[in-house]
């Protein structure tokens, strides 16, 4: 099976279909900018950044990056959950106001 065919199959069965294409892309030049973008999301709404942006902000090392991402998401000023979607190359944040 060729790589192009495999990518096409993955695109058809990936979770992209379950995520609306109109979700906002969050600004993420810095952690402060990402926090400000998250603060603008309505309660329980989603936004996304690229995996490359997350690596730059939180770490290139998988475990350190996930840990830093988790700590960031848990902070009271921008409390959110996140979902890493490697096939899409994105991380989705869901704003959780409590």
């Amino acid at each position: 099976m060729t790589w192009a065919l495999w990518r096409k199959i993955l695109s058809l069965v990936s979770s992209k279909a379950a995520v609306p294409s109109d979700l906002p892309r969050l600004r993420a030049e810095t952690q402060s900018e990402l926090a400000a973008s998250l603060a603008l999301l309505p309660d329980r709404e989603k936004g996304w950044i690229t995996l490359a942006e997350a690596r730059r902000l939180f770490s290139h090392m998988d475990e350190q990056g996930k840990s830093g991402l988790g700590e960031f998401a848990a902070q009271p000023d921008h409390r959110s959950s996140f979902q890493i979607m490697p096939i899409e190359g994105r991380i989705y944040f869901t704003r959780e106001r409590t």
Side-chain angles (χ1 to χ4, degrees):
M1 183 177 305
T2 67
W3 177 244
L5 180 58
W6 181 244
R7 285 184 59 140
K8 182 68 173 173
I9 291 169
L10 283 176
S11 73
L12 293 172
V13 297
S14 76
S15 59
K16 268 197 259 190
V19 178
S21 61
D22 61 345
L23 291 176
R25 181 170 181 171
L26 304 173
R27 296 184 56 100
E29 285 296 315
T30 64
Q31 285 188 19
S32 296
E33 191 174 68
L34 178 56
S37 290
L38 281 169
L40 295 174
L41 284 177
D43 190 25
R44 296 187 184 101
E45 291 293 318
K46 288 185 177 185
W48 61 275
I49 65 173
T50 66
L51 286 177
E53 290 169 325
R55 283 186 195 103
R56 184 175 36 75
L57 291 175
F58 300 106
S59 178
H60 288 281
M61 299 176 68
D62 285 342
E63 289 308 311
Q64 272 187 327
K66 286 180 187 176
S67 176
L69 188 55
E71 290 171 11
F72 173 85
Q75 291 179 18
D77 290 345
H78 39 84
R79 185 176 202 96
S80 58
S81 60
F82 64 92
Q83 186 177 20
I84 300 170
M85 305 299 282
I87 292 175
E88 296 175 35
R90 295 180 177 182
I91 296 179
Y92 291 92
F93 289 88
T94 303
R95 178 75 170 151
E96 298 174 354
R97 295 180 204 242
T98 55

